[in-house]
Amino acid sequence: ETADLLRSMGRTQEAMVLYQAAWKQSRATAVGQTAVLAALAEGELKIAAELLADLETVAGEPLEVRILQGKLAAARGLTDQAMRAFDEAAKNAPEDPRPLYHRAVTFRHSQDETIQKRVLIDLLKLQRDHPYLAGPREMLGDWYLRRGEFEEAGQRWPVAQCCDDVGSQNGTR
């Protein structure tokens, strides 16, 4: 709880240390995952890799570990390795939206057009298969907005639609 509070206050370095200590003491998979994410957030890739390797010995390679492997590889600039980790996670859990979602989050600002197309495909699949998730819709709207495709962005992005509707009602559109 203290680590969560510190993290919410922006004191992520201190939170990371507490997450690591909690992981070493509890060996609870969820705590290990949080410790890896905290290290990644701090840019502490060596620590994240060590924590992830330790987590793998305890948890094996469940979906969450594969996703973390993808995030770590992406943070290290190993795009192909990251994509393979997310692909493997999606293959092992085809009904679970998390691998596609996390790949989209991880690579949504990539400048590589091939990766951007992959992100678009992931977001479209997420929107089709899991329409109740707001995150993919918002990222899809953002994807179109950054490309200057405003009409498509408005159709995909609930916030953009909301703003367009308000503008129409106020006569500003």
Side-chain angles (χ1 to χ4, degrees):
E1 291 178 15
T2 303
D4 291 337
L5 178 62
L6 288 170
R7 192 174 187 186
S8 71
M9 295 169 56
R11 296 169 58 183
T12 54
Q13 184 69 33
E14 294 167 86
M16 183 184 69
V17 171
L18 288 178
Y19 286 131
Q20 289 175 29
W23 163 242
K24 288 178 182 172
Q25 185 177 30
S26 73
R27 309 301 282 174
T29 303
V31 175
Q33 293 168 7
T34 304
V36 173
L37 289 170
L40 284 171
E42 276 300 302
E44 297 287 351
L45 303 184
K46 183 178 181 203
I47 292 171
E50 291 168 359
L51 290 166
L52 184 54
D54 195 26
L55 178 62
E56 289 169 357
T57 64
V58 173
E61 289 199 18
L63 180 65
E64 293 81 6
V65 170
R66 279 285 188 204
I67 290 169
L68 290 172
Q69 290 169 342
K71 287 178 173 282
L72 177 61
R76 288 178 160 170
L78 304 171
T79 303
D80 291 339
Q81 185 177 337
M83 289 297 210
R84 282 192 303 272
F86 289 120
D87 283 341
E88 187 68 28
K91 179 179 151 195
N92 291 338
E95 300 302 316
D96 195 310
R98 291 175 295 170
L100 299 181
Y101 176 79
H102 285 288
R103 177 170 40 210
V105 168
T106 301
F107 290 109
R108 71 189 228 187
H109 296 296
S110 171
Q111 299 301 312
D112 183 306
E113 194 61 33
T114 302
I115 292 172
Q116 279 300 307
K117 286 179 183 175
R118 184 70 227 184
V119 167
L120 176 62
I121 290 167
D122 289 348
L123 291 171
L124 290 169
K125 282 182 184 176
L126 285 167
Q127 189 175 33
R128 180 195 67 209
D129 298 341
H130 306 280
Y132 54 88
L133 295 175
R137 282 194 315 271
E138 291 169 1
M139 283 190 287
L140 196 54
D142 184 55
W143 194 92
Y144 286 111
L145 193 62
R146 285 184 283 126
R147 282 160 183 73
E149 297 179 33
F150 303 114
E151 186 174 327
E152 188 70 25
Q155 292 173 8
R156 304 283 183 169
W157 199 13
V159 174
Q161 278 186 324
C162 170
C163 295
D164 282 347
D165 292 344
V166 170
S168 295
Q169 291 170 3
N170 293 336
T172 58
R173 185 175 165 218

